[in-house]
Amino acid sequence: MKKLFFTPGPSQIYPKLEKFMGKAFKNDIPSISHRSEMFMEIVKDVERELRVLLSIPQTHHIFFLSSSLESMERIIENSVKKTSFHFANSAFAEEFVATARAKKKKTHVYRFLPGERIPVESVVIPSTVELICITQNETSNGSCVPLDDIYTLKKRYPTIPIALDIVSSAPYIATDFNKIDCAFFSVQKGFGLPAGLSILVVNDTMAKKSRKKGYHNFPSLLSKSIKNQTPETPNVLNIYLLGEVVKDMNKKGIEIIRQETDDKAAHIEELGSLFIDNARIRSKTVIVLNAGGKTNEIREKLKEKNIIVGKGYGKYKDAHIRIANFPQHSKEQVRMLVAELKILM
Ligand SMILES: *Cc1c(COP(=O)(O)O)cnc(C)c1O
C-alpha cells in the first residue's frame, strides 16, 4: 500500500503529479533543449502562473535555482558586501547565518526563543546592515513570523532590503511583494513536487545592483530570465511540473487553498499539545506537537497504518512530532491522521 507523507519536505506529492509526469514524458520534456522555443514557452507559462498564484508584481523577477540553500547563498553573495542581519530562533534561520559567515560576511544575529515574538517596534538594526534575513516559517519548530511584524520592520527601515525564507509556507503565505525585496521557496514542500528546484523572487533593484562574478550572479540570471531561459541546463522536468501544479492551483484559486489550509490547521490544533502556544506566531503549514517523549512510538504506530509524520528537529528529535499541512494534503487525509493521533497521544 502506498504511504501518506505528512513530513515537512519532501512530503506527499501533489495528487495529479503522476498524470502531469505522464504528460511530460509524452511531450518529450526530459529531452528538450533548454534553448528551445518549447522550453521558453514552459518558462513563460510557469512565470505567468506563479505571478497569479503569489501576486508577484512586474517589479520582481523570478529565478530558478537548484535548492533553497543555494538561494540563501546566492542572496548573500549577490546582495551583501560586508554586513547582514538575521532573525533566528532555530535551525533554518541558523543555516542562513552560517551561509553568510561562510562567505566571510559580518553577521548581526537577533536570537529569540521559539515561543517569543520579535519586538519589531523596538529592535535596532545598525545602519551598516545591507540585508535583513528572516525565516518567515521555521520548519524545524513550527513557529512563524507574522507578515504584519515584517511590514512594521520594513516601515522602520525602508531602505534596507529584506530577504524572506518562505520555503515551507508558500503558497499559503500571502506575501506583499511591494514590501518584500526578495523571497524564496523550494518545490518539495507546499507544491508537492520532487526536490531539486528553488524559486527565487528578487526585485529589479536587487537583481541589477549585484557585482558578483561567476555562477548564478543576479545580472546573468536576469539577462537569461528576460529571454525565458536560465544560464545553465536547469531541472527542465521539474520546472514543467511546477507549471502544471501551479496552473492547477490557480484553477482552484489561492483563496480557497488558504481557507482550506486554515481549516485543516484548526483541526490538527484541536489535538492540543502544541509546541507553540501563541496562535499569532504559530505556523499553519508546519504544526509541531509535544509528544512527551513518545515520538518514536507514535511514529512507529502511524507507520503501521502507512502514515508518515516528521520527527522533532535537533534536540527535540524524540520530543516533537512535526506535521506538514500543505495544499496537497486533503481534508480527508488530515481527518484520518488526527483520528489516529487522538488514539496515540
Ligand atoms: C527545507 C527548508 C530549507 C532548505 O530547502 P532545500 O530545498 O533543502 O535547500 C530552507 N529553509 C526552510 C525554512 C526549509 O523548510
Side-chain angles (χ1 to χ4, degrees), residues 80-84 106 108 125-131 160:
V80 181
K81 220 187 216 160
K82 286 196 181 120
T83 313
S84 58
K106 179 175 159 65
H108 293 272
I125 298 181
S127 61
T128 50
V129 168
E130 297 154 81
L131 181 74
I160 309 177

Side-chain angles (χ1 to χ4, degrees), residues 67-69 72 92 135 137 139 165 167-168 186 188-189:
S67 72
S68 284
L69 294 190
M72 286 181 194
F92 286 102
T135 306
N137 200 70
T139 319
D165 176 338
V167 177
S168 56
S186 293
Q188 77 273 21
K189 314 258 165 137

